[in-house]
Amino acid sequence: MTAKSNQTARGTRPLSEKHHMQIPWYDVIVSEERQADHATLEERASLVGRVGIMLLACGTGAWRVREAMNTVARALRMSCSADIGLISLSYTCFSNNHAYSEVLSLSQSGVNTDKLDALERFVRNFEKQYTTETVREIHHRLDQIQKMSGNYDPLRAGLAAALACCAFVFLLGGGPVEMVCCFVGAGIGNWLRGIMIRRSWTLLACIGVSVAVACLAYFLVFRGLEMSLGIAARHEAGYIGAMLFVIPGFPFITSMLDISKQDMRSGMERLLYALMITIVASLVGWLVAMIVHLRPENFVDLGLNPMLLLLFRLIASFSGVFGFSVMFNSPKRMAVQAGLIGAVANTLRLELVDLSTIPPAAAAFIGALVAGLLASAINRIDGYPRISLTVPSIVIMVPGLYIYRAIYNIGVNNIGVGAEWMTRAALIIMFLPLGLFTARLIMDSRWRKSD
């Protein structure tokens, strides 16, 4: 089919009624036989752009997206300049005194570590394996990656959230009662969120409804235990843990990493996105707490000896990170490795706070640094993306309890107390990506360079 007939077919094709229309990647193909590195500028540039937008859809930061686009562009004998945001990118490819520009966008932001791993392996092997193939064949391979189904259905993702938040609430100081109630609440909440996402509900609706349902489920299970077993009212504080499955770990961490590399547009967009999710979840949780009279009191002391507490922290840290990794669609092997990293790094952080005078923010920096170093070591062995290992392992360190208590106290006009909790949370949140940045600085020579 000639270029002219291609244009005619494109003009008569019925347009999608969706707000974000599908991109007809195959329509730019001029020759079916010409290998990719000798294709037209438009054909080669379409490959660069598609790799970039697919990586962006997986939740990775601007630095990684730009690096991948540059790798593909160099293999195809072009130069590429890209401006990258949270859900959109604009780029221009240059070759032989010609330039070709495109603007691409996503319908929403998300996280998929399994697809991210497949794309990074594709980019790593691109020059040796794909430059001699045709543009259509390469797009077909990208189709296969794009159509990769999730590893877990909403039920399994709900169970992963239940495990993660159950472990999370123990690490915050909760006991068996809080863990049981949190398991049920978080599991139901994330299962419902998965169903809503599959039906393409908008972001804030998914967050608000799932958090409200999780808190209400915690409340109902707790009241049932209270009436049947005489559980003390102080155990109601664990309802905070039931909504921690919405913590936006990837955008929080990647925002700071992007800002550290002066990708300001991407960094600020990701930071605002993460703050929006956190604020909406906290406000919904606060409203539910006001309605059913739940209060974020201190947890009941478990009275565990230091060695037993250390053992339980290792188990809970592994379980929590494993659960979060599954929520990010990591395959089981990747989730186990992230869990092992988190068990070491998070337990070290908690023990430093308990056994020394190190402030929690400094301990968070050390924990994130250790997580980053371990992830870099595993990356050199198995090739898993560092971000797929580090983010789940330090999401467990994000001070969701502090953030919620800040919003709660501000909501009841305890402004001074709320500001104190917010300051504590902000310090820890800033030190977590700084720890990863330092680890990357040590282990990755390319990361040290500004150009």
Side-chain angles (χ1 to χ4, degrees):
M1 185 178 290
T2 67
K4 184 176 180 180
S5 60
N6 264 330
Q7 182 66 36
T8 303
R10 194 160 58 246
T12 59
R13 181 176 299 148
L15 299 177
S16 169
E17 295 182 358
K18 293 184 178 180
H19 185 62
H20 288 266
M21 301 169 68
Q22 296 294 321
I23 301 172
W25 296 108
Y26 290 91
D27 284 2
V28 300
I29 298 175
V30 175
S31 173
E32 297 289 346
E33 293 82 21
R34 189 182 300 160
Q35 64 186 43
D37 57 352
H38 289 85
T40 65
L41 176 59
E42 290 84 354
E43 290 174 306
R44 288 178 287 155
S46 72
L47 294 173
V48 174
R50 189 173 186 187
V51 168
I53 201 67
M54 287 177 65
L55 277 167
L56 197 62
C58 295
T60 192
W63 189 86
R64 179 62 68 191
V65 173
R66 181 175 288 105
E67 183 186 45
M69 293 176 72
N70 289 342
T71 300
V72 175
R74 290 189 187 102
L76 296 176
R77 300 181 295 109
M78 296 185 297
S79 296
C80 178
S81 177
D83 182 30
I84 302 166
L86 173 66
I87 59 171
S88 63
L89 66 86
S90 56
Y91 72 101
T92 301
C93 288
F94 304 87
S95 178
N96 296 327
N97 298 320
H98 293 281
Y100 181 81
S101 298
E102 282 190 337
V103 178
L104 305 174
S105 65
L106 302 167
S107 60
Q108 60 184 351
S109 180
V111 177
N112 190 325
T113 53
D114 192 22
K115 192 177 293 186
L116 174 60
D117 180 44
L119 281 168
E120 289 210 355
R121 294 179 189 276
F122 170 85
V123 171
R124 208 157 45 233
N125 298 326
F126 185 85
E127 184 170 8
K128 293 181 179 179
Q129 187 173 343
Y130 294 102
T131 52
T132 56
E133 294 188 358
T134 66
V135 175
R136 180 175 293 277
E137 288 171 338
I138 298 174
H139 275 300
H140 180 66
R141 173 56 184 147
L142 290 173
D143 283 341
Q144 292 176 331
I145 297 176
Q146 188 166 352
K147 293 176 182 177
M148 288 173 61
S149 59
N151 295 320
Y152 313 98
D153 57 25
L155 178 59
R156 292 182 182 180
L159 290 173
L163 176 65
C165 293
C166 173
F168 209 148
V169 81
F170 170 80
L171 295 169
L172 293 174
V177 174
E178 291 89 350
M179 293 171 69
V180 170
C181 298
C182 191
F183 186 92
V184 176
I188 293 175
N190 198 52
W191 169 79
L192 179 60
R193 183 174 68 151
I195 296 294
M196 296 175 73
I197 290 174
R198 287 196 171 194
R199 296 183 179 181
S200 301
W201 280 57
T202 190
L203 172 67
L204 295 188
C206 294
I207 298 297
V209 172
S210 61
V211 166
V213 168
C215 292
L216 288 172
Y218 183 100
F219 171 76
L220 293 174
V221 174
F222 171 73
R223 288 296 182 232
L225 293 176
E226 187 180 37
M227 289 187 292
S228 60
L229 302 178
I231 298 299
R234 287 192 63 188
H235 292 290
E236 69 184 17
Y239 78 93
I240 299 170
M243 61 183 187
L244 294 180
F245 61 88
V246 299
I247 288 178
F250 259 82
F252 256 138
I253 301 305
T254 54
S255 70
M256 297 299 181
L257 293 177
D258 281 348
I259 290 172
S260 72
K261 298 297 290 184
Q262 300 183 56
D263 277 309
M264 304 305 292
R265 176 193 168 194
S266 176
M268 295 306 296
E269 288 183 13
R270 289 172 185 277
L271 181 59
L272 289 174
Y273 174 78
L275 288 175
M276 177 182 67
I277 293 174
T278 304
I279 291 171
V280 169
S282 299
L283 290 175
V284 171
W286 174 72
L287 288 174
V288 173
M290 292 294 99
I291 293 171
V292 300
H293 304 292
L294 293 172
R295 295 183 179 180
E297 304 288 347
N298 292 328
F299 292 104
V300 178
D301 185 19
L302 298 177
L304 299 174
N305 67 64
M307 291 304 299
L308 192 59
L309 181 60
L310 172 64
L311 176 62
F312 284 159
R313 279 176 171 173
L314 284 168
I315 296 172
S317 295
F318 174 84
S319 301
V321 174
F322 179 85
F324 277 116
S325 195
V326 168
M327 288 170 60
F328 297 146
N329 198 46
S330 298
K332 291 184 177 64
R333 179 180 172 84
M334 186 190 296
V336 168
Q337 293 184 356
L340 293 173
I341 293 172
V344 174
N346 189 55
T347 303
L348 173 63
R349 175 185 70 93
L350 295 172
E351 293 295 310
L352 285 173
V353 173
D354 286 353
L355 304 179
S356 69
T357 59
I358 294 179
F365 170 80
I366 296 172
L369 174 63
V370 170
L373 294 174
L374 292 174
S376 292
I378 291 176
N379 170 262
R380 295 182 177 183
I381 298 172
D382 282 347
Y384 287 138
R386 293 180 183 86
I387 199 76
S388 300
L389 299 172
T390 53
V391 172
S393 64
I394 67 173
V395 164
I396 205 83
M397 305 180 193
V398 173
L401 174 63
Y402 290 9
I403 297 171
Y404 178 75
R405 283 186 170 177
I407 297 295
Y408 179 91
N409 281 284
I410 291 172
V412 296
N413 291 323
N414 290 332
I415 306 300
V417 176
E420 180 182 352
W421 282 112
M422 189 63 75
T423 302
R424 293 182 183 181
L427 282 173
I428 293 175
I429 289 172
M430 287 188 292
F431 271 107
L432 288 175
L434 186 59
L436 293 184
F437 175 87
T438 305
R440 193 70 179 272
L441 201 68
I442 294 171
M443 301 295 289
D444 189 346
S445 59
R446 294 174 300 170
W447 186 262
R448 302 182 201 128
K449 307 294 184 181
S450 61
D451 59 352

